[in-house]
Amino acid sequence: MKDLASLARLDGIAQAELCARGEVSAEELFEACLARIDALNPLLRAVVTVNREPPRAVKPGPFSGVPFLVKDATPWQGLRWSMGSRLFAKNVAPTQTPYGRRLEAAGLVCVGKSALSEFGLLGSTETLLEGVTHNPWDLSRSATGSSGGSAVAVAAGLVPLAHANDGGGSTRIPASACGLFGFKPSRERTVMASFATSDFGDLTSDHCISRSVRDSALFLSVTEDPTAAKPVGFVREPIRRKLRIATWTRTMMGEEPEPSVRRAYDETVALLTELGHHVEPIAPPAVDGPALRDAFFLVAGAAIAGVVETMDRMRGVPVQTEELEPFTWELVEKVQAFGADALPWSRATFAKAVKVYDEATRAYDVVLTPTLATEPWRIGHLSPVLKREELLRRTARSVGYTPIQNIVGCPAMSVPLCFPEGGLPIGMHFAAARGEEALLLGLAYQLEEARPWKDRWAPYSIPALFS
């Protein structure tokens, strides 16, 4: 069996190839993964449930034998499904989702569940149920969220890739903070990953966080809905044509990025120009940022209010104050105070924003912005025990580029192009029109080739500590 660091350095496809050649077995990949989790997870707290049941009949798919994690927002048959909430601390998923069946058929082996903020509501992975997930680049910094556990596990070399989902940047933002590739497919591109639907669920796309573009591209090909328009398949090559790229730096809330982020952005513009693309600064789409923020959290609050009502009926006992975090309760109370017009108003607000965004970007192949307006914040900055208004204000300062793509339903990605000396990674954000995943992945391959990041390991990672 390969040593811990050697296997940790390999992406999912490389591990599957080792397994296919008989150089390592699925059981050995699984045991090595558990050893890596045992070595670093007590420090990082990325994994909240560990599946120690060895794989029995691994399917002979393209990822055959490869260990991975499922974000605890999403059910996986037989494993605890807490959604980061004390309300569901002992909940176990009874059945597999269509998405899960696709991943099993691809040969992936689930070694556990990764941490998230409660119900994926906040951009920092610290909960009253599970505690704090630490960024392996700097333990005092947040892994961001909500897919912080998945990002940390990949950045630390615990697994080569991890499932994530994204309702407003929850895949792309942690990928940026941890120096990884984070991709969000178009709405309805993949098969169903949940049992229920809601307006908040309609904003959410399931995919993965990975070290390599090819892992992400293959993952998309095995989860793609065959009935979706313009099938993507497995994108394997860099894009060959020159792109027209629109770009801006001001967030939806009217904020400009911190100087370190601006420097990283300028370097990215220079790289794209060097690669032959036409990069054109334009005015940001004139969306109503405060209204979009309010609509987004009303939709989230409505989804949680529905969960509370369902639990009240099922148990015959109301959900108790201590079963949900303070921020979650405030979202529920806000949507209840708004009344019956909350969802209709939010949908109308979203529709206006979609029209404005489409009109501003339709002449371009790709849109470029930073992923975050700030560097990753310190732990506690977005603690769920803080007041709602303060949390929304702090979130709005940093998270002002990514939610619009969820509202529009188009694909987007954070690419780890910038690793400032002595600082944390800074991702750059790219988006395309709905259905244009192949274009974005082709660009990602090209950027990966031009500025390789596969050997950029965090200080608190298996390769950095055990080589």
Side-chain angles (χ1 to χ4, degrees), residues 71 73-74 119-120 146 163-171 184-190 192-194 198-207 296 406-407 409:
K71 181 179 175 181
T74 300
F119 301 114
S146 63
H163 164 262
N165 56 24
D166 188 315
S170 289
T171 295
K184 183 196 85 68
S186 299
R187 185 178 298 135
E188 299 178 348
R189 169 59 68 190
T190 62
M192 287 289 293
S194 64
S198 67
D199 282 59
F200 190 52
D202 289 345
L203 296 176
T204 302
S205 295
D206 285 79
H207 191 52
F296 181 89
N406 298 82
I407 293 165

Side-chain angles (χ1 to χ4, degrees), residues 291-368:
L292 273 185
R293 176 201 59 196
D294 292 346
F296 181 89
F297 283 104
L298 280 173
V299 163
I304 305 307
V307 170
V308 171
E309 291 170 10
T310 299
M311 292 303 293
D312 286 350
R313 288 196 304 270
M314 287 177 59
R315 302 191 315 185
V317 177
V319 174
Q320 302 299 299
T321 300
E322 68 274 10
E323 290 182 294
L324 295 177
E325 294 175 347
F327 176 71
T328 304
W329 275 124
E330 286 197 73
L331 291 185
V332 172
E333 291 162 0
K334 186 71 175 179
V335 76
Q336 289 172 341
F338 202 100
D341 289 336
L343 286 180
W345 180 82
S346 298
R347 292 166 186 158
T349 302
F350 287 166
K352 290 177 186 176
V354 170
K355 183 178 180 181
V356 170
Y357 182 90
D358 285 345
E359 288 176 352
T361 61
R362 69 163 48 99
Y364 302 92
D365 300 303
V366 171
V367 167
L368 164 69

Side-chain angles (χ1 to χ4, degrees), residues 221-279:
S221 73
V222 302
T223 56
E224 185 175 12
D225 186 339
T227 67
K230 197 178 178 182
V232 178
F234 181 19
V235 179
R236 302 169 186 264
E237 301 289 340
I239 197 164
R240 302 300 179 192
R241 66 186 178 91
K242 307 307 179 187
L243 301 176
R244 191 176 183 197
I245 301 175
T247 186
W248 61 82
T249 58
R250 195 166 70 244
T251 71
M252 290 189 303
M253 301 300 290
E255 301 271 6
E256 288 292 337
E258 290 180 344
S260 59
V261 177
R262 177 67 201 218
R263 287 192 295 272
Y265 164 84
D266 289 340
E267 290 173 12
T268 302
V269 170
L271 172 61
L272 292 165
T273 303
E274 186 181 305
L275 292 171
H277 301 299
H278 175 70
V279 183

